[in-house]
Structure formats: C-alpha cells, structure tokens
Amino acid sequence: MVRPESRAANDHIGGPIGPTPVFSLPMDLVTEPRALERLRGSALVPTMGALHEGHAALIRRAAALGGPVVVSLFVNPTQFGPDEDYQRYPRTIDADLEVARRSGADAVFAPAATAIYPEDAPVAVPPLPKVALTPRLEDACRPTHFAGVCQVVARLFDLVAPRYAVFGEKDYQQLLVVTAMVADQAPRWRELRIEPHPTVRESDGLALSSRNRYLAAEQREQALGLSRALRVAHAAQRPETAERMMRDTLEAHELAVEYAVVRDATTLMPVAGFDRPTRALIAARLGAVRLIDNAAMTVWR
Ligand code: PAF
C-alpha cells in the first residue's frame, strides 16, 4: 500500500501504552520536495521509471547500505535529444510503485516537472567532467545527453541530500560521469558516495533495460547480439581484434553498429593493449530502438 506524503507509523499515535510493536511500514509516495526533509542521509536510486528486475537489484543494494531508501521516478526531458524517445518512454507508475515497495524502498519521489525545473528558478547544468566530453561514445552519439543527466542528477542530489546513490553499470559512461561530477563538485555533496551495481541480465545474457519493452519477439533474438559480441571479445589477444570480433557478431545479428570498442575502464579513452583494466562498450540500433551494453575485459595481461 502506498500513502501520499505520510508515514503509516503516525497513524498509531494514541494506541495502548506497552512494548513498541514492530510495524512493517508502507512505502511513502512523495511528490513535494519539502517532504524529502525527513529522508536526508538516504540511499537514493535515481530512475526514469519503467522499473524492471535490474532496478529491483539496485533498490535491494540501496537497502543493504542502511538508512532509508528513496527511489526517484522522473522521465527527465533535458537528457533526450529532439529525435529521441522522450514522448513514448514507458510510463508505468503503478507497476513501478509495486516494484519499489517489494524491493525495499521506504519512499518513492515522483515529482512533477515543475518541482525539478521551477519556471522562476533556472536549474544550472554543472560543469561536465572530461569523461562526459572526450571518449566520443555516448557523448558523440547523444551530444546533449550528459548535460541533461548531470543537470537532473545534481538537482536530485540537492533535493534528496542522500548519503549514497546507486547507479547500474549498464549505463557505464553515465556511472563514470556522475562519479566524476561528484568528485569535481566537492564539497557540494559532502559525504555522498556513488555505489555502482553490476548489470542484471536475463538467463540468455540480454541486459535488462526499460527500452527492451520496445522489442518485438523476433528483435529480441537479434538484441542478443550485444551480449554475444561482448562474450566473443574475451577471446581476443588485442583490443583491435576484440573490436573487430564484436563488430562481426553485431553485424551477423543485423544490428547497425554505432560503436563497438575496448577502452580504458576509467577514462574511456582508447587503449593499445590489455595491460590495464579495460571495458568493452557497444551501442547498436535495431530499427528505431537503440541498445547499449558493456562488460569488463577481465583478462588483462
Ligand atoms: O539512468 C537513468 O535512468 C537516468 O539517466 C537517470 C540517472 C535517472 C537520470 O535521469
């Protein structure tokens, strides 16, 4: 059960005096930023809704960190390009509340757009870290994306004032961008720690994504090309061989490749060999659907 702007424990004021009963608190639905006041120091899981088991894992991770867990649901218009899927992005609030509740959230923050971007007070875009500008990956394919992500994430951090924020490795460049933004802006979000969480996959390897809902049954088989490409890349002895093998696998699945690269795991800049931690990263199109995936190249030699 979800209660707007209230905690069920308050409902028990005036009950019989005796040992404190243990209540299983229902989850709060918060829409007004001022109602976040009492949730300061939480573990925040920022999302755009359309929650799936990958999000559920992030929420469980947040719950394991201690303190209250806040899940934000906000489809942020500023991180979508003009030809992207902002209008059709799945909005599934009732199902999202249920996923958040059963995964251990104490509150869902689902603000109106005017609460995030008030008409009378422009929300600044923080200076973008290098990893948002130089790798020529998501930054090149979606030129305004990280400005929007940093703008909304900074705003959420200011409003929620979390102790932890949990981000999935599925959006690997985003994870690095947010981590660098927090470090660059110190001491703006004092004590905040970004907590990464591994990508959650279906048993056949498909990385969970809210955008998988766009895939028709036959496209789902093609989408497996991404995780298969990452798997075959592990056999390569050199980054350029891994990149060619990934491209071949993606093309064999009739996917239009945007990038299929091996990069330094921290800077996302090109590497000449496997003498340091590296990451394989892919973006590919399947008709109108854009898919991304990545994996650590665990065998570095
Ligand atoms: O990863 C996402 O869902 C979004 O980019 C985020 C971090 C919630 C910001 O809107």
Side-chain angles (χ1 to χ4, degrees):
M1 180 185 144
V2 173
R3 301 193 171 205
E5 319 287 355
S6 71
R7 270 190 111 69
N10 297 341
D11 298 349
H12 296 278
I13 291 168
I17 296 170
T20 310
V22 178
F23 297 111
S24 152
L25 292 180
M27 186 179 70
D28 282 357
L29 174 59
V30 173
T31 55
E32 291 301 326
R34 68 183 133 71
L36 293 165
E37 203 49 51
R38 64 192 147 69
L39 291 161
R40 289 186 180 275
S42 60
L44 172 67
V45 183
T47 82
M48 296 204 300
L51 301 188
H52 48 67
E53 281 311 302
H55 293 111
L58 302 185
I59 299 167
R60 287 194 295 271
R61 174 74 196 122
L65 294 167
V69 174
V70 178
V71 176
S72 64
L73 302 182
F74 181 65
V75 186
N76 173 39
T78 69
Q79 70 187 72
F80 289 81
D83 300 325
E84 294 184 5
D85 55 344
Y86 173 67
Q87 294 300 346
R88 73 169 178 137
Y89 199 84
R91 286 151 171 94
T92 57
I93 180 85
D94 291 339
D96 292 347
L97 293 173
E98 183 50 28
V99 173
R101 191 199 53 75
R102 74 164 156 78
S103 309
D106 294 285
V108 163
F109 176 45
T114 48
I116 297 294
Y117 300 119
E119 272 158 28
D120 53 352
V123 174
V125 176
L128 297 188
K130 218 167 155 192
V131 71
L133 299 168
T134 51
R136 312 288 302 153
L137 299 174
E138 291 303 287
D139 48 309
C141 299
R142 306 181 72 188
T144 57
H145 178 62
F146 286 128
V149 168
C150 288
Q151 183 183 34
V152 77
V153 169
R155 177 80 174 135
L156 289 169
F157 289 168
D158 286 342
L159 292 173
V160 180
R163 171 76 183 82
Y164 300 97
V166 186
F167 285 82
E169 289 181 352
K170 165 78 173 26
D171 293 284
Y172 189 73
Q173 191 175 3
Q174 169 175 279
L175 167 66
L176 296 181
V177 167
V178 171
T179 305
M181 176 185 78
V182 170
D184 291 355
Q185 294 271 303
R188 180 167 171 186
W189 302 293
R190 221 182 298 270
E191 308 271 309
L192 170 61
R193 204 172 85 200
I194 303 300
E195 190 68 22
H197 190 280
T199 301
V200 179
R201 297 178 183 279
E202 307 263 16
S203 55
D204 58 8
L206 185 70
L208 297 190
S209 163
S210 302
R211 289 185 168 99
N212 289 353
R213 298 168 198 236
Y214 299 150
L215 297 172
E218 66 281 7
Q219 288 181 313
R220 198 188 167 286
E221 173 59 26
Q222 282 176 268
L224 284 175
L226 279 87
S227 51
R228 287 177 183 155
L230 292 169
R231 214 171 310 133
V232 297
H234 274 280
Q237 298 296 314
R238 303 192 51 75
E240 62 269 28
T241 319
E243 293 181 353
R244 191 177 34 74
M245 291 164 101
M246 289 195 288
R247 223 164 241 282
D248 289 349
T249 308
L250 294 165
E251 285 167 5
H253 287 76
E254 296 181 13
L255 291 156
V257 184
E258 288 191 350
Y259 58 79
V261 293
V262 175
R263 294 292 178 90
D264 179 281
T266 309
T267 64
L268 295 188
M269 296 309 281
V271 287
F274 289 122
D275 55 349
R276 67 181 84 187
T278 52
R279 198 96 190 173
L281 302 110
I282 294 174
R285 283 191 181 276
L286 186 45
V289 188
R290 185 171 186 275
L291 300 165
I292 58 171
D293 202 351
N294 69 85
M297 297 291 285
T298 45
V299 192
W300 33 287
R301 38 217 139 182

